[in-house]
Amino acid sequence: KKKQCEQSREDVLKMGIAKYNAECRKIVMRCAADWEKTVERMGRWIDFKNDYKTLDKTYMESVWWVFKELSKKNLVYRGYKVMPYSTALNTPLSNFEAKSNYQTKVDPAIIVTFPLVDDENTHFLAWTTTPWTLPSNLALCVNKNLTYIKVQCKLVVVMM
C-alpha cells in the first residue's frame, strides 16, 4: 500500500491539502524519532532538543524572510534551469530527491582496531567514514549505557 505522501496529485487534491500535509507531518515525526536513535548510535553530536525540520512554519518563514531580503538587495534573478520533475505530483524534485538511489558511491569507510590500555590482547573495533582523520585520533569514545560484546578471533579478543 502506498504511503499518503506518495499519492498522485489528484489523490492529494481529493484528500485535501490540510489532511495531506498532516499525514506527511506524521510520517516525518515518526521517522525523526528513528533518525535520532540512529544518529546517537553512530556517535554524531546533534542538538535534537533544539533542532528544526523543513516542515516547521518558523523555518519556512525564515527562508521566505531571507529570500525577501535578498530580493530587496537585487540579489535574486529570474532565469531558466532544467529541473528534475515528479510527473506524479506535478512538482520539481529537490536535489536530494533527484539524486537519492541513482548514483553508485565509493564509500571510504574502514574498520580499525584500538587495543585496550590494560589488555593489549583485547581490541575495540571502530568503523569510520573519515579514514583520513585516523592519524590525529587520540582516543576512542565509548558509551557507558551501551552493551558491548567480546568476540574471540584467533588470539585476539574484539569488543563490539
Side-chain angles (χ1 to χ4, degrees), residues 3 5 14-15 26 33 35 37 43 49 51 59 74 76 87 92 103-106 110 113-114 128 130 134 150 153:
K3 298 264 187 246
C5 291
K14 191 186 308 179
M15 177 190 292
K26 284 181 196 173
W35 178 243
K37 287 179 199 169
K49 304 298 180 247
D51 69 345
Y59 173 80
N74 292 319
V76 176
T87 55
Q103 293 180 352
T104 301
K105 295 282 185 178
V106 176
I110 63 169
T113 60
F114 291 85
T128 180
T130 57
L134 288 172
K150 279 187 174 186
C153 297

Side-chain angles (χ1 to χ4, degrees), residues 79-123:
Y80 296 94
K81 179 179 179 183
V82 176
M83 298 288 296
Y85 195 78
S86 168
T87 55
L89 296 175
N90 293 327
T91 183
L93 299 173
S94 70
N95 286 339
F96 175 78
E97 292 168 318
K99 291 180 180 178
S100 64
N101 298 323
Y102 288 98
Q103 293 180 352
T104 301
K105 295 282 185 178
V106 176
D107 189 351
I110 63 169
I111 298 171
V112 294
T113 60
F114 291 85
L116 268 106
V117 173
D118 57 352
D119 179 2
E120 293 203 9
N121 288 326
T122 300
H123 297 73

Side-chain angles (χ1 to χ4, degrees), residues 142-158:
V142 294
N143 186 333
K144 68 179 181 178
N145 297 319
L146 291 178
T147 303
Y148 294 89
I149 62 168
K150 279 187 174 186
V151 177
Q152 181 76 37
C153 297
K154 295 187 182 177
L155 301 176
V156 177
V157 177
V158 179

Side-chain angles (χ1 to χ4, degrees), residues 36-93:
E36 184 173 347
K37 287 179 199 169
T38 300
V39 168
E40 269 186 25
R41 184 70 175 106
M42 290 187 324
R44 287 195 57 198
W45 295 338
I46 295 178
D47 182 4
F48 283 103
K49 304 298 180 247
N50 297 302
D51 69 345
Y52 72 90
K53 294 170 183 58
T54 55
L55 61 76
D56 293 337
K57 280 187 180 181
T58 54
Y59 173 80
M60 288 186 263
E61 288 167 353
S62 71
V63 170
W64 280 112
W65 178 85
V66 168
F67 185 78
K68 181 179 94 175
E69 294 301 309
L70 291 171
S71 181
K72 279 198 259 181
K73 295 174 182 176
N74 292 319
L75 296 172
V76 176
Y77 67 92
R78 183 178 301 259
Y80 296 94
K81 179 179 179 183
V82 176
M83 298 288 296
Y85 195 78
S86 168
T87 55
L89 296 175
N90 293 327
T91 183
L93 299 173

Side-chain angles (χ1 to χ4, degrees), residues 21-33:
N21 285 342
E23 290 299 317
C24 289
R25 278 185 174 85
K26 284 181 196 173
I27 292 168
V28 168
M29 297 313 291
R30 184 180 67 237
C31 293

